[in-house]
């Protein structure tokens, strides 16, 4: 593995990335770092504040935790709905359209790859715009739930416009004990965001689909992930074991650095934009 520091704006580095990735197809694995330029903070970036996401066990086991989560999510949802793709997302969609990128496996739940125009996206950890009932497994849109929660809590969001938003639409809200939750309209069951919580397993069929996408490619590009959790790291290990070149583009150390053919320590937007341009030259 070779480390490359301060690579933003360096055409020579971008050309090295292009040479290692080849003509494709390239599978791309993305994490929170690709969305920071859209205004969504990273969980584990060098400048990220300490975070303690709610676990699956807390959510399903304690109504107080569920109420606290849905109250914060009710505030955060309004902000996330206005977030737009940045040049990093748009560049990956552009490279897919040019036949360079085979598809994207994303650890993010923000749906920005879809919004950017990427056609083949595996939402490894789910999507923040869907909600599932833990009893009858009915899936509804988060927008529909937002309307129900607004009716149940008509003044809850008053005066909380300036809040910190986490990558899963969670928001920092001090008082949540009076928030009224909504149950499933069909069976009365517990509603949960259709995302994979800490302590919860990624559905097996989704994992297998992601491995298939890695196997279809001739190289793997990681963009904006520290690979701190095994759900993403396993694809890097798999690609390296299969002899595929692996390029990691991320600010700071990642858990997959030892498996990388090339590590670029930089932000995603500019490097991915220049990489998309390099493929058209």
């Amino acid at each position: 593995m070779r480390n490359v520091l301060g690579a933003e704006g360096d055409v020579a580095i971008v050309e090295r990335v292009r040479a290692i990735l080849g003509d494709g197809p390239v599978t791309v694995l993305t994490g929170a770092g690709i969305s920071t330029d859209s205004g969504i903070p990273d969980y584990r970036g060098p400048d990220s504040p300490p975070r303690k996401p709610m676990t699956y066990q807390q959510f399903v086991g304690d109504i107080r935790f569920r109420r606290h989560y849905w109250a914060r999510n009710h505030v955060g949802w309004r902000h996330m709905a206005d977030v737009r793709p940045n040049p990093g997302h748009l560049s990956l969609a552009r490279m897919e359209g040019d036949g360079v990128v085979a598809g994207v496996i994303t650890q993010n739940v923000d749906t920005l790859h879809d919004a950017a125009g990427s056609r083949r996206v595996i939402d490894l950890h789910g999507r923040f715009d869907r909600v599932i009932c833990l009893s009858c497994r009915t899936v509804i849109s988060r927008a529909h739930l937002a309307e129900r929660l607004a009716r149940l809590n008509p003044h809850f969001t008053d005066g909380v416009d300036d809040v910190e938003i986490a990558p899963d639409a969670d928001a920092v809200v001090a008082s949540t004990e009076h928030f009224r939750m909504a149950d499933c309209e069909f069976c009365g069951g517990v509603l949960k965001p259709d995302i994979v919580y800490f302590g919860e397993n990624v559905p097996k069929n989704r994992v297998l689909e992601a491995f298939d996408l890695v196997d279809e490619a001739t190289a793997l590009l990681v963009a904006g992930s520290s690979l701190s959790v095994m759900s993403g790291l396993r694809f890097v290990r798999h690609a390296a074991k299969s002899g595929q070149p692996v390029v990691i583009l991320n600010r700071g150390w990642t858990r997959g650095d030892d498996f990388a053919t090339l590590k670029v320590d930089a932000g995603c937007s500019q490097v991915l934009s220049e990489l998309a341009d390099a493929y058209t030259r």
Side-chain angles (χ1 to χ4, degrees):
M1 184 205 74
R2 292 169 291 170
N3 281 311
V4 179
L5 303 179
E8 280 185 308
D10 190 331
V11 175
I13 293 299
V14 172
E15 291 296 343
R16 285 177 63 190
V17 172
R18 190 214 180 288
I20 290 171
L21 294 177
D23 294 330
V26 175
T27 291
V28 183
L29 172 66
T30 67
I34 197 173
S35 295
T36 54
D37 285 347
S38 292
I40 303 175
D42 195 350
Y43 267 125
R44 298 182 180 88
D47 300 320
S48 298
R51 300 182 188 278
K52 190 177 182 181
M54 188 175 296
T55 67
Y56 178 76
Q57 290 75 19
Q58 289 172 328
F59 185 89
V60 301
D62 192 326
I63 190 173
R64 294 170 299 177
F65 277 104
R66 285 201 299 278
R67 180 182 296 113
H68 188 65
Y69 179 84
W70 278 122
R72 292 160 61 108
N73 185 270
H74 182 53
V75 174
W77 161 258
R78 299 180 306 153
H79 295 262
M80 290 289 289
D82 294 330
V83 172
R84 296 291 180 265
N86 64 54
H89 301 105
L90 296 170
S91 295
L92 291 181
R94 175 182 162 194
M95 285 189 280
E96 183 184 7
D98 291 339
V100 176
V101 168
V104 175
I105 304 165
T106 185
Q107 298 172 276
N108 301 335
V109 299
D110 55 33
T111 72
L112 290 179
H113 287 296
D114 283 354
S118 289
R119 296 187 297 272
R120 190 175 183 186
V121 180
I122 299 174
D123 296 298
L124 196 63
H125 295 159
R127 299 169 59 103
F128 87 111
D129 62 347
R130 295 190 304 224
V131 177
I132 188 168
C133 173
L134 295 180
S135 297
C136 69
R137 311 307 293 180
T138 297
V139 176
I140 64 172
S141 74
R142 181 61 183 81
H144 175 63
L145 180 61
E147 296 174 355
R148 294 182 61 201
L149 292 176
R151 289 194 295 269
L152 290 169
N153 304 274
H155 302 295
F156 185 78
T157 59
D158 293 352
V160 291
D161 290 331
D162 186 15
V163 294
E164 180 191 349
I165 307 299
D168 59 356
D170 193 11
V172 176
V173 181
S175 179
T176 62
E177 63 269 18
H178 300 300
F179 187 79
R180 296 179 62 191
M181 294 184 293
D183 295 325
C184 176
E185 296 171 284
F186 302 96
C187 75
V190 171
L191 295 177
K192 171 185 169 292
D194 194 13
I195 60 178
V196 177
Y197 276 38
F198 287 88
E200 187 178 10
N201 292 324
V202 178
K204 185 176 180 179
N205 63 331
R206 201 178 297 166
V207 175
L208 294 176
E209 183 184 2
F211 274 120
D212 286 343
L213 183 55
V214 174
D215 287 339
E216 289 176 23
T218 57
L220 177 66
L221 170 63
V222 178
S225 176
S226 65
L227 302 170
S228 294
V229 293
M230 186 55 68
S231 64
L233 180 62
R234 56 186 156 190
F235 302 114
V236 173
R237 288 180 169 177
H238 180 77
K241 185 177 180 179
S242 301
Q244 292 184 13
V246 176
V247 174
I248 296 179
L249 166 61
N250 188 69
R251 289 192 185 279
W253 172 89
T254 85
R255 197 174 167 195
D257 286 354
D258 289 341
F259 301 97
T261 309
L262 179 68
K263 164 67 182 300
V264 180
D265 193 322
C268 292
S269 292
Q270 184 171 350
V271 173
L272 291 177
S273 296
E274 293 178 1
L275 182 61
D277 290 341
Y279 273 103
T280 60
R281 286 200 285 268

